[in-house]
Amino acid sequence: MGWRPAEPRLRAWTDCRGGVCGAMDRPGFTASLVAGGVAGVAVDLILFPLDTIKTRLQSPQGFNKAGGFHGIYAGVPSAAIGSFPNAAAFFITYEYVKWFLHTDSSSYLMPVKHMLAASAGEVVACLIRVPSEVVKQRAQVSASSRTFHIFSNILYTEIPFSLVQFPLWESLKALWSWRQDHVVDCWQSAVCGAFAGGFAAAVTTPLDVAKTRIMLAKAGSSTASGNVLSALHGVWRTHGLSGLFAGVFPRMAAISLGGFIFLGAYEQTRSLLLEVGRERP
């Protein structure tokens, strides 16, 4: 980038105080843990139906046969409960790695730091995400190898997404802060999250299609073996480019809105928790 934000205004650690993101003297990992969990539950409760529609659009049996618009709210409670530890684990890892790899905010290494932090967060969150109902069903035979395949497939799809979303989110916040000469408000951070999420959703849709095909594949089929490249090749061969980007618009809509809610809720909740912590004697 051709600009460098001033050090006093933009540090690696920011929080929202009174609606404005300001500098922090300490990480506040507990606040990140709780805020991440709250944000995860909030976004799942609101956007679960859109994700269900997206998954059915990507189903090899077709949207209508996969259920269409019937029962799109089924599974919301369990998803919301599971999302709290998952999102909490991601954000406490993300913030810790950012703190551990602390660099000057004007450094060109900042995007690399955010990529590493996001990747580490996804690995830790994946350890919680993998023991899901789908994994338990798929891992009944050769459990260790099946679990490893599912774990690796989730990483193959989630890490590329986070590698795009979080450095872009941080860069957009820094750019907006630089343009207005003060750090972004929490709602502005949420807007940046929406743009970053939508862009990342678009460019990683083929990987998401492959993951969906693998998870929905019949046991014993070549697709169920868990090879992402093989799944992508199969979709390309049978459905072409449109198949690789099946459900891209619902995915972009859901993740853009999700980025606004998720990252906005995270920043706002974290700032409130930090305020409460500072007011204690």
Side-chain angles (χ1 to χ4, degrees):
M1 288 177 287
W3 54 271
R4 290 192 175 191
E7 173 64 17
R9 291 201 306 252
L10 302 175
R11 296 184 182 176
W13 289 92
T14 58
D15 72 316
C16 301
R17 296 178 185 162
V20 178
C21 296
M24 277 184 63
D25 335 358
R26 58 190 178 83
F29 294 130
T30 302
S32 298
L33 180 74
V34 177
V38 170
V41 172
V43 76
D44 264 3
L45 287 175
I46 296 171
L47 298 181
F48 187 90
L50 276 178
D51 187 64
T52 300
I53 292 172
K54 180 269 299 180
T55 301
R56 291 176 180 179
L57 284 169
Q58 295 175 350
S59 172
Q61 58 185 321
F63 178 71
N64 291 326
K65 289 185 178 180
F69 291 102
H70 177 72
I72 59 175
Y73 285 93
V76 169
S78 59
I81 292 172
S83 66
F84 187 97
N86 180 56
F90 173 85
F91 269 112
I92 193 172
T93 305
Y94 179 72
E95 297 289 5
Y96 176 79
V97 174
K98 285 205 305 181
W99 171 78
F100 184 77
L101 299 176
H102 179 68
T103 58
D104 190 300
S105 63
S106 63
S107 171
Y108 289 112
L109 294 176
M110 287 291 284
V112 176
K113 181 180 77 170
H114 296 143
M115 287 180 181
L116 292 173
S119 299
E122 287 294 353
V123 171
V124 173
C126 197
L127 294 174
I128 297 174
R129 191 180 310 146
V130 165
S132 63
E133 199 59 37
V134 173
V135 173
K136 286 187 284 185
Q137 293 173 1
R138 289 288 190 253
Q140 289 176 350
V141 180
S142 302
S144 59
S145 61
R146 299 288 294 174
T147 300
F148 174 77
H149 282 149
I150 295 170
F151 179 81
S152 61
N153 285 329
I154 291 176
L155 290 183
Y156 287 153
T157 54
E158 297 297 331
I159 285 184
F161 177 84
S162 292
L163 285 176
V164 177
Q165 182 190 32
F166 280 88
L168 183 56
W169 176 53
E170 300 279 8
S171 296
L172 289 173
K173 288 194 299 179
L175 176 60
W176 201 339
S177 299
W178 175 72
R179 291 293 298 271
Q180 66 186 11
D181 203 33
H182 64 79
V183 289
V184 293
D185 299 341
C186 287
W187 71 266
Q188 293 172 323
S189 177
V191 171
C192 292
F195 277 102
F199 180 79
V203 299
T204 60
T205 293
L207 292 175
D208 189 61
V209 171
K211 182 187 72 172
T212 301
R213 291 299 180 94
I214 290 169
M215 294 182 70
L216 297 179
K218 293 181 180 179
S221 66
S222 58
T223 303
S225 64
N227 189 305
V228 173
L229 292 178
S230 175
L232 286 171
H233 179 70
V235 174
W236 169 262
R237 190 176 62 250
T238 56
H239 300 287
L241 188 64
S242 62
L244 290 175
F245 285 90
V248 62
F249 294 113
R251 174 173 162 82
M252 287 180 64
I255 294 180
S256 293
L257 183 55
F260 184 91
I261 298 170
F262 186 54
L263 296 174
Y266 170 72
E267 297 248 28
Q268 188 63 53
T269 304
R270 188 167 182 266
S271 89
L272 291 174
L273 292 173
L274 290 172
E275 281 292 338
V276 170
R278 281 191 292 269
E279 290 173 1
R280 288 180 179 177

